[in-house]
Amino acid sequence: MAAPETSTAAVPTLYTNNTLRNAFGGVLSFFILLLIGVMAFSIRLFSVIKYESVIHEFDPYFNYRVTQFLAKNGIYEFWNWFDDRTWYPLGRVIGGTVYPGLTLTAGTIWWLLNSLNIPLSVETVCVFTAPIFSAFASWATYLLTKEVKGTGAGLTAAALLAMVPSYISRSVAGSYDNEAVAIFALIFTFYLYIKTLNTGSLFYATLNSISYFYMVCSWGGYTFIINLIPMHVLLCIVTGRFSSRLFIAYAPLVVLGTLLAALVPVVGFNAVMTSEHFASFLVFIIIHVVAFVYFIKGILSPKMFKVAVTLVVSVGLAVCCAVIAVLIALVASSPTKGWSGRSLSLLDPTYASKYIPIIASVSEHQPPTWPSYFMDINVLAFLVPAGIIACFLPLSDASSFVVLYIATSVYFSGVMVRLMLVLAPAACITSGIALSQAFDVFTGSIKFQLSGASSNTEVDAAETSSSTAESQTDAVKTEKPEETAKNRPSRKSKKKEREHGEKPSTKAKAEKKRLLALPLESSVISLLLLVLLGAFYVVHCVWAAAEAYSAPSIVLTSRSHDGLHVFDDFREAYAWLRHNTDVDDKVASWWDYGYQTTAMANRTVIVDNNTWNNTHIATVGTAMSSPERAAWEIFHSLDVKYVLVVFGGLVGYPSDDINKFLWMVRIGGGVFPHIKEPDYLRDGQYRIDSQATPTMLNCLMYKLSYYRFVETDGKGFDRVRQTEIGKKYFKLTHFEEAFTTHHWMVRIYKLKPPKNRIRGKTKKSKSKTSSTTSSPKRSGTKKKNPWQ
């Protein structure tokens, strides 16, 4: 009788051990997540440590300026703000043309900190917003991957995302762009969708709609969510995985999410009127039809069910056809069929280069090269296929969503290099699943191999002791009365049946483990290789964060044999504009520098990085492509006082206006046909040397870039194009040089006033003749239209 007492007492002990193990695992997971968050924040601080706390790139300066306005004037003034310093003379309604998520988030953080008497500046909050949300994104990745494949995969995926270079490039300290908070919103929305799909909770479905609303406020990439989730729902329906949980996860998102999205001014009725959202509505109708079919299946007999299904399918097809016909009628009148230009460039990679050169001119809209994948996701590119295979073992609703996510993100990243940012979380999730499964297999094999001999000895001892105990029990039981002996055979038979049923299953499990276990040496070597692979990934990520993505574009550096050189020409030029020009002066430049000019120089610009008006940008491109006199007339008609050009020929800066000039020609020629790209090419080649075409050598961009350039070295050698310029000695007649920075990277010219030019011509005419009247032919000459 001692054996049953021992086994009964062992149950609470085993339960207690499991409880302690789970509690310890939960605490350990919490501290690991905390360290991952600290790592995600810290690895993005190289830009501040190596340089200074400054806003990076171009778009972040507009976001910083808007956040300053919000912090100073409040939310109501922000929604009604009309900015007259951009897109002169048109202006821009800021509250209705921006995604306010980033601005409202940073403004809220600044307000909370100041309420707690922590007096940080708006600029400091903007600089560190992206690193803070990168930690949040890592935690959201843990939650999402945990719902798919467990805690181990979640921790691995979170660690990978915390330092993946593709995400670091958009979230370093100072990168105050929409993606800083949008990637967190994207991952968290997917997590809440999977959580709702696994639990069927309306609470999580409501949170999912709110998270989707935050994503809509933050980034135009929200259309990826509202198309990917319907694709997954349709996949589940087609593969026979429909359930009430799927309905609860999707239906509230479409209804509540669309209503909330329409509240964002920049989206408005586009949430129901553009083609990017139509897929969600079509799947919404389909899932209701399927849910209704399953409902009537439960309350009708099989015969009546067939009749009802025929009726429902007929009505459903009719409704779907009617809806599709209405949608076709709505979008047929649009030349783009209701799709935005950026969406069409994703569906058709050649669309932008054919019809919208302003989109194709942006470097981040170009297709990536194969080396860029290795640069941005590194070894994850090799782990993704293994993670996809692991998602099929076994395949669930959550894992099928991850497979669909990685498949679509791989396609979109191949179309546009900017969307490598969307691929990064999917690659980290699948790679985390692959690494977690691999570690489980290898460590399980090592454990099995090491415990094999000792376990066999313990099993033999246990069998010997159990047989001895059984023989002693039988001896005691023989002394019992005959009434008890009558029941003995049935008990023995039951015991033998139970033993015969348990022993084969136990042996089968042990045999299965033995077959799945890898040799000890192979498991140890594989684990070491995985550790080396992880170490290589960490080294690459730290290098990318410290060297490749930490340098701000506003301050440039280069190394040579005599040390580090810092090029601060951009801020030098903007400071000169701010201190040496009138507040109401207008500055013309290519649209890349509009945000920085407005934010740092506080001067009115003609075009900026918003690129909402293609005609206005084409006007500036036409002026840059025209001869000096025609360009002066265009700029004078726009009330321009100064023209800013970026030139890298002296120091070797490749992203200057000469390298961008062909895009100015293409965009300008798309609106004004007299600008033709072949006029600027010699035998199909873009040249600035002595073989360049006369049109190229006489255009305004060439003259403003290379004016007095020959004085630097006596030859006029361009270090970017690696050639001597074709036209070295020339004078400007309608523009005068106002300021050139120390390294010649930014050059500012002032338009000569018309009265000076007319007075000079009058003096010249007086010296030739004493007549005070002009000839009838000249007085009757019609002024040439500069736009033709």
Side-chain angles (χ1 to χ4, degrees):
M1 299 299 294
E5 292 178 359
T6 305
S7 60
T8 305
V11 173
T13 305
L14 182 62
Y15 177 77
T16 304
N17 291 337
N18 289 335
T19 304
L20 290 175
R21 187 182 295 113
N22 292 335
F24 177 75
V27 173
L28 184 61
S29 298
F30 172 78
F31 280 105
I32 292 175
L33 281 175
L34 189 63
L35 291 176
I36 289 174
V38 172
M39 178 182 66
F41 179 82
S42 303
I43 199 173
R44 288 161 171 81
L45 300 183
F46 281 107
S47 59
V48 175
I49 296 172
K50 294 181 63 176
Y51 299 94
E52 58 181 298
S53 180
V54 64
I55 303 294
H56 293 201
E57 300 298 334
F58 302 104
D59 290 4
Y61 274 94
F62 169 76
N63 298 325
Y64 167 57
R65 178 168 171 258
V66 173
T67 308
Q68 279 185 315
F69 184 91
L70 174 67
K72 181 179 180 180
N73 299 283
I75 183 67
Y76 293 105
E77 293 294 330
F78 165 72
W79 289 124
N80 299 308
W81 180 22
F82 178 81
D83 187 10
D84 59 353
R85 289 197 170 274
T86 60
W87 292 92
Y88 181 84
L90 306 176
R92 178 183 175 188
V93 180
I94 299 298
T97 58
V98 297
Y99 289 96
L102 175 68
T103 301
L104 294 177
T105 300
T108 303
I109 294 174
W110 177 84
W111 178 80
L112 287 174
L113 292 175
N114 281 267
S115 299
L116 297 174
N117 291 323
I118 304 176
L120 292 180
S121 64
V122 175
E123 182 181 10
T124 303
V125 173
C126 294
V127 166
F128 291 99
T129 296
I132 292 173
F133 272 82
S134 66
F136 295 163
S138 300
W139 297 335
T141 303
Y142 162 76
L143 295 173
L144 172 57
T145 315
K146 180 184 176 183
E147 288 295 319
V148 179
K149 285 293 182 179
T151 303
L155 291 174
T156 308
L160 294 176
L161 185 78
M163 49 187 171
V164 63
S166 178
Y167 186 31
I168 288 178
S169 66
R170 289 283 180 170
S171 58
V172 295
S175 183
Y176 185 58
D177 209 349
N178 291 331
E179 293 90 339
V181 299
I183 295 302
F184 159 72
L186 177 79
I187 301 171
F188 196 64
T189 302
F190 286 157
Y191 156 68
L192 290 172
Y193 169 71
I194 296 299
K195 185 71 174 179
T196 310
L197 190 59
N198 289 339
T199 61
S201 171
L202 278 174
F203 173 73
Y204 287 112
T206 305
L207 289 181
N208 189 26
S209 300
I210 296 174
S211 178
Y212 171 70
F213 171 61
Y214 182 66
M215 176 65 184
V216 174
C217 290
S218 302
W219 191 32
Y222 75 91
T223 54
F224 180 68
I225 295 177
I226 206 59
N227 283 279
L228 180 62
I229 292 179
M231 289 172 61
H232 178 251
V233 172
L234 188 61
L235 177 66
C236 290
I237 293 174
V238 171
T239 55
R241 289 179 171 271
F242 174 81
S243 64
S244 59
R245 294 178 286 104
L246 183 67
F247 183 86
I248 294 173
Y250 183 68
L253 174 65
V254 175
V255 177
L256 186 57
T258 302
L259 291 175
L260 291 174
L263 297 177
V264 182
V266 70
V267 177
F269 284 102
N270 288 334
V272 294
M273 295 296 292
T274 55
S275 300
E276 286 92 342
H277 304 81
F278 288 166
S280 62
F281 302 142
L282 183 61
V283 175
F284 183 76
I285 296 173
I286 294 174
I287 197 173
H288 275 80
V289 172
V290 174
F292 184 68
V293 169
Y294 274 87
F295 172 73
I296 62 176
K297 183 179 181 180
I299 61 175
L300 296 179
S301 61
K303 185 179 293 185
M304 292 297 296
F305 174 70
K306 291 182 179 179
V307 177
V309 165
T310 305
L311 178 63
V312 169
V313 171
S314 302
V315 174
L317 288 176
V319 171
C320 287
C321 292
V323 171
I324 293 174
V326 171
L327 295 180
I328 293 175
L330 287 175
V331 303
S333 59
S334 172
T336 61
K337 307 306 179 187
W339 294 87
S340 65
R342 284 184 172 85
S343 298
L344 285 174
S345 63
L346 292 177
L347 300 176
D348 180 10
T350 64
Y351 179 82
S353 59
K354 291 179 180 177
Y355 303 107
I356 314 179
I358 185 64
I359 294 179
S361 67
V362 183
S363 59
E364 62 185 17
H365 292 168
Q366 303 299 318
T369 58
W370 283 112
S372 65
Y373 279 94
F374 188 76
M375 174 66 185
D376 284 344
I377 60 176
N378 199 246
V379 299
L380 305 186
F382 307 105
L383 294 174
V384 165
I388 294 175
I389 295 173
C391 288
F392 284 93
L393 302 172
L395 184 66
S396 62
D397 293 342
S399 59
S400 65
F401 177 80
V402 172
V403 173
L404 192 61
Y405 179 21
I406 186 67
T408 52
S409 59
V410 165
Y411 166 75
F412 288 124
S413 67
V415 175
M416 192 176 291
V417 67
R418 180 184 185 183
L419 296 182
M420 290 285 289
L421 188 63
V422 178
L423 172 65
C428 292
I429 291 170
T430 51
S431 300
I433 293 173
L435 287 175
S436 177
Q437 297 284 341
F439 271 105
D440 287 344
V441 171
F442 297 143
T443 55
S445 299
I446 294 173
K447 184 178 180 181
F448 181 82
Q449 296 290 351
L450 292 179
S451 62
S454 59
S455 62
N456 291 334
T457 306
E458 292 175 358
V459 169
D460 294 339
E463 290 180 353
T464 304
S465 60
S466 62
S467 61
T468 305
E470 287 178 0
S471 62
Q472 292 176 355
T473 305
D474 292 340
V476 173
K477 288 183 178 179
T478 53
E479 299 176 359
K480 290 185 178 182
E482 293 181 0
E483 295 84 10
T484 311
K486 292 179 180 179
N487 298 327
R488 191 179 304 147
S490 61
R491 291 180 179 178
K492 284 186 176 181
S493 61
K494 290 181 179 179
K495 184 177 181 181
K496 288 180 180 179
E497 290 176 0
R498 186 169 65 250
E499 288 177 353
H500 285 301
E502 290 176 357
K503 287 182 180 178
S505 62
T506 305
K507 290 181 179 179
K509 290 181 180 179
E511 184 67 17
K512 185 177 180 182
K513 287 184 179 180
R514 188 184 68 79
L515 292 175
L516 292 177
L518 298 174
L520 180 62
E521 296 80 4
S522 301
S523 301
V524 172
I525 293 174
S526 300
L527 274 180
L528 291 177
L529 290 177
L530 284 181
V531 171
L532 288 176
L533 191 68
F536 180 78
Y537 176 75
V538 171
V539 170
H540 174 77
C541 293
V542 173
W543 171 85
E547 301 295 336
Y549 295 133
S550 64
S553 63
I554 197 73
V555 180
L556 306 175
T557 59
S558 68
R559 292 184 180 274
S560 62
H561 63 278
D562 55 349
L564 179 69
H565 298 272
V566 179
F567 304 94
D568 203 3
D569 290 44
F570 285 101
R571 292 194 294 186
E572 181 185 356
Y574 296 138
W576 186 90
L577 282 173
R578 187 172 62 252
H579 295 305
N580 296 277
T581 61
D582 295 335
V583 176
D584 295 330
D585 285 345
K586 284 77 179 177
V587 180
S589 66
W590 192 231
W591 61 264
D592 289 19
Y593 320 107
Y595 280 162
Q596 289 183 349
T597 304
T598 308
M600 303 185 70
N602 193 27
R603 292 298 178 266
T604 304
V605 296
I606 307 302
V607 293
D608 62 25
N609 309 58
N610 185 241
T611 66
W612 67 274
N613 191 315
N614 186 62
T615 303
H616 221 50
I617 295 176
T619 302
V620 175
T622 300
M624 296 296 189
S625 309
S626 301
E628 188 178 351
R629 176 182 174 83
W632 182 91
E633 292 178 354
I634 294 174
F635 283 139
H636 183 67
S637 67
L638 293 173
D639 198 23
V640 171
K641 193 72 173 290
Y642 294 92
V643 179
L644 181 148
V645 295
V646 175
F647 173 67
L650 181 65
V651 296
Y653 176 60
S655 298
D656 63 353
D657 284 342
I658 291 293
N659 275 355
K660 299 175 183 177
F661 178 64
L662 281 185
W663 288 111
M664 304 182 195
V665 173
R666 292 165 185 163
I667 296 171
V671 178
F672 305 104
H674 70 282
I675 300 294
K676 298 179 177 61
E677 184 177 351
D679 294 341
Y680 300 85
L681 304 177
R682 173 73 69 180
D683 297 329
Q685 295 183 351
Y686 178 54
R687 309 178 68 117
I688 52 93
D689 55 9
S690 58
Q691 299 298 317
T693 62
T695 306
M696 179 67 198
L697 295 176
N698 291 302
C699 69
L700 181 68
M701 177 56 66
Y702 186 94
K703 288 189 172 183
L704 297 189
S705 296
Y706 292 113
Y707 178 64
R708 295 194 309 108
F709 182 58
V710 71
E711 299 175 9
T712 58
D713 59 356
K715 298 180 180 179
F717 184 80
D718 190 322
R719 297 186 181 181
V720 176
R721 269 64 59 175
Q722 293 295 310
T723 184
E724 290 188 14
I725 62 176
K727 193 173 184 179
K728 302 179 181 180
Y729 302 97
F730 56 87
K731 293 183 179 181
L732 299 175
T733 57
H734 297 78
F735 295 83
E736 59 182 356
E737 184 179 7
F739 180 73
T740 297
T741 57
H742 181 68
H743 299 98
W744 282 55
M745 288 181 60
V746 182
R747 312 195 68 183
I748 301 173
Y749 293 86
K750 184 177 181 180
L751 272 74
K752 291 184 178 180
K755 58 181 181 180
N756 292 345
R757 183 165 53 87
I758 293 173
R759 185 181 302 132
K761 287 188 176 183
T762 304
K763 290 180 180 180
K764 188 175 181 180
S765 62
K766 284 183 178 180
S767 62
K768 291 183 177 180
T769 177
S770 59
S771 176
T772 58
T773 60
S774 59
S775 62
K777 183 178 179 180
R778 185 171 184 84
S779 61
T781 303
K782 185 178 179 181
K783 185 178 180 181
K784 186 178 179 181
N785 188 352
W787 310 104
Q788 296 180 350

